Amino acid sequence: MANRWLTAAERVQAAKARTFADLAAEIRAPLPPGKAVTPAFAAGVLRSLRLLGSVLKLPAKEAQVLRRRMHAGLAQVFASMRYRPKDLGGRTPEELAEVFLQMVERTHYGGYTARELRAKAKGLRGVFFGELLERLVIHLEELQKDLMDMAQAQLAELRALLRQRSPLLVNAYGEPVTLTGQWGRVRRATDVWVWQRNAAGTLERKKSVDLLHVSVLDADGPPAIGMLVETEIKGKAAAKKLGPQIGEAQSRFERGEMVEMLLEGDSEPIFVNPERLVFSQRSIQRTGVTLTSRSTDQYRFSTSRNTGEVYLRTSLAIKADILYKMLRLIFPT
Amino acid sequence: MTILVEAVAEPEPNQAEIGDAEPAPESITVADRLRLVYVGRVDAYRRELATALNVQAHEGAGLPVSAYPSLPVLLDGEETLVIDDDLFTSLIDVYVVHGWSGVATIGEALEHKVRSGNAQPAGGTTVTVWRAAWSFFVYTYNLLALLVRDGLMEIERKAAIRIISRLSICAAALARAWRAELQLVRTMKTVSGGRAGAVQVPTYTMSNVGLAEALFKALTEAVHQRARFDQLVQEITNVRERIRLTRPKTKPTLNHPRPRKKYTQQLRRLQATEAQLVSVREATKGFYASMAAVIHMSCPLALLIIDGLRPGFAKEEMEQLLGEALWTMYSRLDELGAGIDPQASRTRADLPFAYPPDRFDRLAVGREGPEGALVDVALARLAEDPAYFALLHETTLHEMAQSGEIEKDSLAGVVYHHYTLTLVDKLEARRQQEEGAKAFWTAFSKGAAALSLATLFTPAAELAPLVRGAAFIADLVLISHTVSSAVEQLAHLEEVLGDRLIGPDVFALENLARVGELCALRRDFIAELSEQVFLELVLIAAGARFLPVKKLLMARGYLLDIETLFGDG
């Protein structure tokens, strides 16, 4: 029975093995190792050309075709649903279509060939669904209002503890902190990353919580961030890991050498040392947002206990149909 | 290969979108335009399959994997190729590694399948499905041929520009050397010509007496060093070749437990001669030092006659030989470069592939591929049309790749590799031909000799980036390569020169030049060339295995590049 079709890398390796073996038989001395092509070339023209066969690749006219298809599809979706483009961060269907395209590009959708896409469709759909849900949650006005209320309450808590010089104010390492200054207004932070060293000793950044409500300490010196509300957003299937993930939120920060986040209204991210991340030890500040299959379209709060950490679990009764319809625009089945 | 089934009728992509077959404006590359037509063709293929299998296919939607026909293909072992939306990617992957022969192998396997499919359904796949697959394959095959043709056109244009520039350098430098530096004088002398009576023969003398004396002294030393180097290398080479030829063809068995006596004797002799490698190393250094002395006299042209002089030669003989070598080129300066026009593409004229929408009923090119077809035409027509020289001068193509004019990360870079491999094979075959070869080599040598001389005039410009900081070996093999190339082409150009310049019992330059030829393929190779590898290559170059080793080294360098480019698939 014939073997499967080789990937390009496998084919090159097979040819290289043959050639090097033949050369070794001819030349009885070790050849120079050879200089690799500058890595900058690696994502260049040749690779793009190879992807010519990927009919789903986005650049050039195909992107326009996809955009047109998405616009038409979105119009239908929104006509049948009561959700508005602004719930997903777009003022108009056209603007939303642009947002979608950016999301598609972030999943490197265009880098897959049609065959690879079929093989990896399930995983890619999951990634895309997660991002759609995150956008939906971040732009859902009612939920954001409640999260903001929670953050305000938490801010009052931090201000009180600061005034009292309470040992209940701790950093990411769990050590009591002594601060001077005033906590500023509540601000939302997205694109939260933890920079930590991998096994090879090089720094790499890992995605942290999906959404943060924070307060920046108004004082001289390195920035200090008061952690008010941390929000994790998960689909129904991924929500099983919500508890453990939230439970170790603080230790994830502890493992990092630096935490990066983008504060709403800023153009550049801020970098904070974990010892300048400030938590209150006596109040609930972690939230998980997920979906429920209940028919009511109101969200509600509930609490659950996991890994010893108490957090607030928010189950949104969003009809996931809208998300699936959007997915089908990108991933035809 | 011939088409076995009729093309399936299908809607043609909008011609206004695709554009016609004229050169594309810069803003829209050929690849971009082909991408569009390919997308349209993939949709049509899906519809054909859906119709054949009686399933629903929505616009933009893929069919299930099981709907696409597949077949075994023998490439890296037997593999299963699915004729699906990714066919172009599959073909280009195979082309990158195996060249056009790999693509043709797929075509032959599919054609065989289609032929079987005409008689009966194959593997549960209906005849109509195989027809649709064949039509789609032909379309994609022709699309790739068109892209390769595009790469060849780019290579030809750049080569023509480079050659014209180099020829003008040679013309100016040669005239300066003839008149101002060597101050050569050509006079006709009457000598007895036997039965033909008195005949006029040219004689050459150098008016620059001081330079003539200095050159004589330097060349005397160089010829002595060359002779020593020759002797050592030839002795080791002969032993190695004999061992190769007398090596037992079978492994020792119970009946014949020991190698043949003759072979054992040869091995002992090899051990003795291998000890001479140290001497070869010293001889190489001496030879290089003497050649460098000639170059330092600002007279690199004198190196042209090193292989033509025997130890104990006279000064008059040196002047005569040098004059003869240069007169051929000096008197033909006006011819240089004539007929080479970067704007007129011979590739386009000789590979008139139509855009695929016009022709998907048959394969545009056979197993030889666009590269093989083009080399054949160029070899056949060079004698009447010098423009083909741009497609045949291998050294120029390698220089372009090494200088970055042909980018590694481009289709032209891939095409360059497969094209030069084809060119090496076909030029070698042409060298083996007796009949009709003279006209070709005369035409070929006009440009090639001048280009080699140009490198000799400006070794710093061309070679300095290679040799700076490297060991003397790098200088030696590259200089030898340059000199030997010029000598070889001059010999082709004038038979009489050939007799004088290349003696049957000397091969130092040719030998070293071959190593230089290998090193010129990759800058990084020569920069890191150890003495151990150098000596190995010298011995290989003197033996019968040069060409296979050269092709293997070309493939090695190429695969190292491709490994980086395709490293993670």
Side-chain angles (χ1 to χ4, degrees):
Chain A
M1 186 178 168
N3 295 320
R4 65 173 173 80
W5 191 248
L6 296 185
T7 66
E10 289 168 341
R11 199 173 295 286
V12 171
Q13 286 304 319
K16 192 179 156 196
R18 277 195 308 270
T19 304
F20 278 45
D22 290 347
L23 262 178
E26 295 285 354
I27 302 176
R28 297 180 301 174
L31 294 173
K35 193 175 172 184
V37 179
T38 311
F41 281 120
V45 183
L46 186 58
R47 179 161 295 193
S48 302
L49 177 78
R50 183 175 164 271
L51 290 173
L52 179 67
S54 171
V55 293
L56 298 170
K57 186 165 165 50
L58 283 176
K61 297 249 174 169
E62 296 97 298
Q64 293 174 19
V65 171
L66 181 59
R67 193 171 278 125
R68 279 201 299 272
R69 205 168 70 199
M70 288 178 66
H71 285 180
L74 281 172
Q76 283 185 349
V77 168
F78 286 114
S80 62
M81 307 292 291
R82 66 181 187 80
Y83 290 96
R84 303 150 294 180
K86 72 174 185 178
D87 289 339
L88 283 162
R91 283 171 298 186
T92 63
E94 287 73 23
E95 195 174 296
L96 192 54
E98 279 303 319
V99 170
F100 263 44
L101 280 179
Q102 289 170 19
M103 290 166 62
V104 168
E105 284 161 2
R106 275 204 297 277
T107 61
H108 303 292
Y109 180 87
Y112 292 100
T113 64
R115 188 181 300 148
E116 290 165 338
L117 204 56
R118 274 198 299 276
K120 298 179 180 178
K122 190 176 175 185
L124 284 174
R125 284 168 67 93
V127 170
F128 205 81
F129 184 87
E131 188 148 359
L132 268 179
L133 180 61
E134 188 178 325
R135 292 198 71 84
L136 188 63
V137 169
I138 286 174
H139 292 95
L140 209 57
E141 287 180 3
E142 292 85 350
L143 175 67
Q144 289 302 323
K145 182 172 175 299
D146 282 329
L147 288 174
M148 181 58 81
D149 288 346
M150 287 170 61
Q152 292 292 358
Q154 191 67 14
L155 178 60
E157 162 81 355
L158 284 193
R159 283 176 171 159
L161 292 175
L162 182 64
R163 274 197 306 275
Q164 297 160 11
R165 298 182 178 276
S166 167
L168 293 174
L169 274 184
V170 296
N171 61 22
Y173 303 120
E175 302 162 343
V177 291
T178 306
L179 299 166
T180 54
Q182 294 290 325
W183 291 114
R185 63 185 168 87
V186 175
R187 298 181 71 180
R188 290 204 314 181
T190 52
D191 294 319
V192 185
W193 302 85
V194 177
W195 288 82
Q196 58 189 62
R197 292 198 184 275
N198 59 20
T202 53
L203 270 178
E204 62 181 16
R205 66 176 198 173
K206 292 195 171 178
K207 186 87 163 68
S208 185
V209 294
D210 297 320
L211 176 66
L212 270 179
H213 284 72
V214 299
S215 169
V216 182
L217 187 72
D218 184 12
D220 294 334
I225 297 288
M227 304 292 272
L228 306 178
V229 179
E230 300 165 28
T231 307
E232 287 283 2
I233 304 163
K234 297 286 179 198
K236 273 175 67 179
K240 291 170 188 168
K241 298 175 184 171
L242 195 54
Q245 196 166 343
I246 287 182
E248 64 166 20
Q250 185 169 324
S251 60
R252 268 192 290 165
F253 291 125
E254 178 190 3
R255 285 195 292 270
E257 296 200 1
M258 197 66 74
V259 176
E260 172 189 350
M261 63 183 77
L262 182 65
L263 295 171
E264 195 171 50
D266 287 0
S267 57
E268 297 291 328
I270 185 172
F271 293 85
V272 188
N273 191 306
E275 67 182 17
R276 304 284 287 175
L277 291 179
V278 182
F279 300 81
S280 162
Q281 279 195 319
R282 73 176 180 190
S283 60
I284 299 168
Q285 54 193 344
R286 292 179 186 124
T287 311
V289 178
T290 184
L291 297 174
T292 176
S293 57
R294 294 186 181 183
S295 57
T296 53
D297 56 359
Q298 297 296 311
Y299 57 88
R300 58 181 186 162
F301 295 105
S302 62
T303 56
S304 64
R305 183 179 295 268
N306 213 325
T307 62
E309 184 90 17
V310 178
Y311 72 101
L312 190 65
R313 186 179 183 115
T314 307
S315 296
L316 296 172
I318 292 173
K319 288 183 180 173
D321 289 6
I322 185 173
L323 302 182
Y324 292 127
K325 283 186 179 182
M326 290 172 185
L327 276 183
R328 278 197 287 274
L329 294 172
I330 315 297
F331 295 96
T333 54
Chain B
M1 191 183 296
T2 53
I3 183 81
L4 293 174
V5 295
E6 290 181 6
V8 179
E10 59 188 281
E12 292 211 4
N14 185 348
Q15 288 293 329
E17 259 189 28
I18 300 164
D20 55 25
E22 293 306 307
E26 282 186 5
S27 57
I28 303 174
T29 65
V30 172
D32 280 340
R33 292 197 296 170
L34 293 181
R35 187 205 306 275
L36 290 177
V37 300
Y38 183 73
V39 170
R41 185 62 184 84
V42 167
D43 279 341
Y45 175 52
R46 286 176 182 160
R47 286 196 300 273
E48 288 164 21
L49 287 184
T51 304
L53 298 170
N54 196 24
V55 297
Q56 291 288 321
H58 304 288
E59 186 183 351
L63 293 167
V65 176
S66 58
Y68 293 96
S70 64
L71 74 160
V73 179
L74 193 61
L75 289 166
D76 294 294
E78 196 171 71
E79 303 170 47
T80 301
L81 172 67
V82 181
I83 313 287
D84 62 5
D85 306 355
D86 285 339
L87 180 61
F88 182 86
T89 306
S90 299
L91 291 192
I92 207 162
D93 283 357
V94 168
Y95 174 70
V96 165
V97 176
H98 299 277
W100 199 264
S101 66
V103 179
T105 297
I106 295 175
E108 286 159 5
L110 181 57
E111 185 184 24
H112 180 259
K113 196 80 178 173
V114 172
R115 193 190 294 271
S116 310
N118 271 333
Q120 58 183 18
T125 310
T126 65
V127 174
T128 320
V129 166
W130 283 115
R131 285 183 178 173
W134 174 255
S135 174
F136 179 53
F137 174 81
V138 173
Y139 187 97
T140 311
Y141 179 100
N142 289 350
L143 191 76
L144 184 57
L146 199 62
L147 282 168
V148 172
R149 198 269 311 258
D150 201 52
L152 287 168
M153 285 170 57
E154 184 185 341
I155 291 170
E156 182 195 2
R157 186 180 62 79
K158 288 180 174 174
I161 291 170
R162 189 179 184 90
I163 286 171
I164 289 174
S165 159
R166 300 289 298 280
L167 288 180
S168 65
I169 290 173
C170 176
L174 194 56
R176 188 174 61 247
W178 184 275
R179 293 185 200 138
E181 293 164 2
L182 299 171
Q183 297 174 20
L184 278 161
V185 177
R186 183 176 189 260
T187 53
M188 300 307 289
K189 185 178 175 185
T190 305
V191 296
S192 171
R195 287 183 184 174
V199 292
Q200 295 268 307
V201 294
T203 58
Y204 301 89
T205 51
M206 284 177 62
S207 301
N208 187 342
V209 180
L211 181 59
E213 286 291 342
L215 269 183
F216 178 64
K217 190 176 174 187
L219 283 175
T220 299
E221 173 64 13
V223 170
H224 168 71
Q225 294 289 350
R226 186 217 68 209
R228 183 166 169 249
F229 175 84
D230 276 351
Q231 186 188 353
L232 286 166
V233 172
Q234 201 156 32
E235 192 169 335
I236 297 176
T237 307
N238 289 343
V239 174
R240 280 196 172 192
E241 280 293 296
R242 272 188 227 119
I243 287 176
R244 194 174 67 82
L245 295 174
T246 56
R247 180 178 297 150
K249 298 289 186 289
T250 55
K251 291 181 180 175
T253 64
L254 283 176
N255 292 335
H256 301 281
R258 297 171 65 82
R260 284 187 307 185
K261 187 179 176 187
K262 191 176 176 186
Y263 181 58
T264 311
Q265 288 172 345
Q266 294 288 8
L267 281 176
R268 286 206 191 99
R269 191 163 172 208
L270 176 66
Q271 286 170 351
T273 51
E274 295 276 286
Q276 289 181 295
L277 283 175
V278 177
S279 306
V280 174
R281 190 174 295 124
E282 291 308 310
T284 310
K285 282 183 181 172
F287 186 36
Y288 168 69
S290 62
M291 287 176 79
V294 176
I295 291 176
H296 290 151
M297 294 167 63
S298 301
C299 193
L301 286 174
L303 294 177
L304 292 175
I305 58 174
I306 279 186
D307 257 10
L309 293 168
R310 310 288 187 274
F313 66 91
K315 187 159 78 68
E316 292 73 22
E317 194 180 351
M318 175 194 81
E319 293 179 18
Q320 179 70 15
L321 202 53
L322 192 54
E324 281 180 358
L326 296 186
W327 172 256
T328 309
M329 300 305 302
Y330 179 66
S331 60
R332 292 181 177 177
L333 289 180
D334 292 343
E335 294 179 27
L336 298 178
I340 298 178
D341 177 9
Q343 302 305 320
S345 171
R346 296 296 183 275
T347 306
R348 189 181 190 87
D350 294 323
L351 299 177
F353 302 158
Y355 267 80
D358 299 325
R359 189 184 296 178
F360 46 78
D361 58 339
R362 66 183 176 86
L363 302 178
V365 65
R367 173 165 265 278
E368 76 277 16
E371 302 97 331
L374 187 61
V375 173
D376 284 341
V377 173
L379 288 173
R381 297 189 183 163
L382 176 68
E384 64 198 52
D385 184 357
Y388 283 101
F389 184 68
L391 288 166
L392 293 171
H393 195 241
E394 187 194 337
T395 307
T396 296
L397 302 182
H398 293 317
E399 284 172 3
M400 283 159 55
Q402 290 304 296
S403 67
E405 275 182 78
I406 298 175
E407 293 172 354
K408 288 174 179 171
D409 178 30
S410 71
L411 180 65
V414 178
V415 173
Y416 147 77
H417 172 71
H418 294 306
Y419 181 79
T420 48
L421 277 181
T422 307
L423 183 60
V424 165
D425 279 339
K426 289 186 180 279
L427 274 177
E428 184 58 24
R430 178 57 66 115
R431 282 192 183 94
Q432 305 298 329
Q433 290 177 2
E434 294 292 331
E435 201 172 333
K438 189 178 175 186
F440 168 79
W441 286 115
T442 303
F444 183 84
S445 302
K446 278 183 190 172
L451 287 180
S452 299
L453 288 181
T455 307
L456 201 54
F457 283 124
T458 57
E462 196 59 45
L463 305 178
L466 306 183
V467 300
R468 192 175 299 134
F472 77 94
I473 289 171
D475 293 290
L476 174 63
V477 295
L478 288 175
I479 291 167
S480 301
H481 176 41
T482 305
V483 171
S484 180
S485 301
V487 170
E488 187 183 358
Q489 304 311 331
L490 287 171
H492 280 303
L493 205 52
E494 293 289 332
E495 259 182 280
V496 62
L497 283 178
D499 291 340
R500 295 292 301 275
L501 285 172
I502 302 177
D505 59 343
V506 290
F507 60 88
L509 269 187
E510 186 185 0
N511 201 359
L512 289 171
R514 286 182 150 192
V515 181
E517 188 179 338
L518 299 180
C519 294
L521 299 174
R522 301 280 295 189
R523 286 186 179 186
D524 52 324
F525 187 76
I526 195 166
E528 300 167 3
L529 185 65
S530 67
E531 284 195 16
Q532 191 186 5
V533 174
F534 163 72
L535 290 171
E536 279 290 317
L537 292 177
V538 165
L539 295 171
I540 286 169
R545 301 291 300 153
F546 173 71
L547 201 61
V549 170
K550 176 182 174 181
K551 289 175 67 179
L552 281 170
L553 282 173
M554 287 169 76
R556 175 183 180 272
Y558 172 72
L559 288 167
L560 286 171
D561 293 341
I562 293 301
E563 186 182 33
T564 309
L565 297 172
F566 277 0
D568 58 2

